[in-house]
Amino acid sequence: MPPIADFDQMSCPTPRRQHERVLLGHGSGGKLSADLIQRVFLKELGNDVLSSLEDSATLALGSLEPAVDDARSGPRIAFTTDSFVVKPLFFPGGDIGKLAVFGTVNDLAVVGATPLYLSAAFILEEGFEIELLRRIVISMRHACDQAGVTLVTGDTKVVDRGKGDEVFITTTGIGLHAANHALSIRNARPGDQIIVSGTIGDHGMTIMSTREGIEFETALQSDTAPLNDLTRAMLDACPSIRVMRDPTRGGVSSTLNELATASNVGILLDEASIPVRPEVHSACEMLGLDPMYVANEGKLIVVVAEQDCQSLMKVMKQHPLGRDAAVIGNVTADHAGMVVMRTLVGGQRVVTMLAGEQLPRIC
């Protein structure tokens, strides 16, 4: 079991407290989410596989033995599940159906697996329009075709009018690992380089721009996309990749803090190298948000040995989903468990995990 991060010691200046009831911030992907997982779910349900906190569980076929570290243990599957509660249901660049397929496909892809099969469970509110549901399901079919996966089972429940919020979708996915890959959030080593596959914050700011009451004119579009074709090209060209993660809820900041804690290393970022679209930057400034904490749905972070970095960058830039890839920092032996950024003005600041709720109902 990896070390449990002491998030109470990382929440300067506001001390973190345990709560008696679930808050929206418990679904943010930041400190409150991590605290809920550690103190409730892992405390009662934790085991070697679940407690590794990878995007997908890696299991050896034919047994219940974990196969997280052993690439020679024979056929292995990746197994993951995720729920989608985004509001609005339809937004520029995507919808809840596409998001539900690609989100689970990406959780399989970033652990190095080939996504194969999905299940989908729908919770529908009484009164929801059948035609809107049909649009969502058609979108899911197109998304499955694009990602090369098959939806093989599902479930539908209907709750009373006013007891839900139109549609919630849970997708579960199974993928197959190649024999020579063993990626893990615990694998980062000092000297490794950190790459992001493209501009950050696109999805989260698109949701905010279309949400009722805070609309403003922009050309923003969600980056929702299946990453499995990109990750396959990357792993074929560079089998030495140590870590891949998709920075969804909590954004790049929370993902890198999780990585630093799990690998017990420090991370040094270069703010000038982090790609952010001008319209995302402007929208964040208007709303007082930091793009480092804004969700992404079609981007990944990869950690690779320094000697393989440039060859991997070349492969990524040849793919449509990696053409804006950038090296944004490196792994260090200093300040283990912390993420530090060199700022545009030449100083340094600590980049903490998202403290609470920045953008609720974002995925």
Side-chain angles (χ1 to χ4, degrees), residues 24 81-90 95-101 119-126 128 132-133 136-137 140 154-172 211 360-363:
L24 273 176
T81 191
D82 205 347
S83 296
F84 298 86
V85 297
V86 66
K87 190 172 184 175
L89 299 177
F90 300 88
D95 56 74
I96 189 172
K98 182 184 287 187
L99 202 60
V101 172
S119 72
F122 295 80
I123 297 178
L124 308 174
E125 183 179 359
E126 178 188 16
F128 186 65
L132 290 180
L133 179 60
I136 292 169
V137 172
M140 293 181 73
D155 184 47
T156 303
K157 296 290 189 299
V158 178
V159 298
D160 295 341
R161 192 186 301 267
K163 301 297 184 183
D165 198 353
E166 297 186 308
V167 180
F168 298 147
I169 302 176
T170 296
T171 47
T172 298
R211 193 169 284 176
R361 304 286 299 277
I362 209 73
C363 59

Side-chain angles (χ1 to χ4, degrees), residues 50-64:
L50 184 64
S51 299
S52 68
L53 296 179
E54 304 289 351
D55 281 331
S56 298
T58 296
L59 304 167
L61 286 177
S63 78
L64 294 179

Side-chain angles (χ1 to χ4, degrees), residues 35-69:
D35 182 73
L36 186 70
I37 291 169
Q38 295 285 359
R39 298 182 189 280
V40 178
F41 296 112
L42 294 188
K43 181 179 179 181
E44 303 299 336
L45 300 172
N47 53 59
D48 287 343
V49 178
L50 184 64
S51 299
S52 68
L53 296 179
E54 304 289 351
D55 281 331
S56 298
T58 296
L59 304 167
L61 286 177
S63 78
L64 294 179
E65 294 297 321
V68 174
D69 294 325

